[in-house]
Amino acid sequence: MTTLIVIIVLISLITPSIFLIKFAKGARAHNERNVQRKMILSSGTPAQALINSIQQTNAQVDDQPEVLLDLSVSKPEGGTIHTVVRTVIPIISIPTFQKGNIIEVKHMTIDNELKFEVVGAYIP
């Protein structure tokens, strides 16, 4: 019986610690992603993109909707690059982000991958 009580106490002490570690890792990754997004928006190469489609996800950030934007980005030398960007847009800007509209984006190569960010996106 004593062993069972010890096990229950240990589990009750360990479980919150595991949750906190996972939460801290998730928060750190989220903060790193926001730093990366801000870097792309401040130092990235500007381009224009055609919105092929927009789809709202089930997530929100500070009551602003997260969306998936299917974009065709115009390259300066001609041609286009197809990409899908997950971003949060200010609710007041929803009319700007509709299929067929042209929006401003910035891009940068990070870790050998071309990454895009939407100018005017909401970043907490």
Side-chain angles (χ1 to χ4, degrees):
M1 186 68 157
T2 310
T3 307
L4 180 61
I5 292 173
V6 170
I7 291 172
I8 291 172
V9 169
L10 285 174
I11 290 173
S12 67
L13 292 173
I14 293 171
T15 303
S17 298
I18 292 171
F19 173 76
L20 288 174
I21 290 169
K22 287 185 178 186
F23 178 78
K25 285 181 180 179
R28 188 175 326 124
H30 180 72
N31 287 339
E32 289 172 4
R33 176 71 180 121
N34 281 342
V35 167
Q36 184 181 83
R37 293 177 71 207
K38 289 176 183 177
M39 182 177 67
I40 294 168
L41 288 170
S42 67
S43 304
T45 304
Q48 291 190 329
L50 171 68
I51 299 175
N52 299 315
S53 69
I54 180 170
Q55 179 181 3
Q56 186 173 351
T57 68
N58 289 330
Q60 290 188 344
V61 177
D62 297 333
D63 294 326
Q64 308 304 310
E66 180 185 70
V67 297
L68 295 174
L69 291 172
D70 183 299
L71 303 172
S72 294
V73 181
S74 299
K75 297 182 347 186
E77 64 277 358
T80 59
I81 300 170
H82 179 260
T83 188
V84 175
V85 177
R86 179 182 298 266
T87 192
V88 178
I89 58 172
I91 199 161
I92 197 164
S93 300
I94 288 175
T96 304
F97 293 94
Q98 297 301 310
K99 180 179 178 177
N101 286 1
I102 303 290
I103 60 170
E104 297 294 319
V105 296
K106 290 198 175 185
H107 58 87
M108 179 181 284
T109 301
I110 299 174
D111 296 331
N112 294 322
E113 184 181 344
L114 188 58
K115 301 203 176 201
F116 294 87
E117 288 301 329
V118 175
V119 175
Y122 177 77
I123 301 174

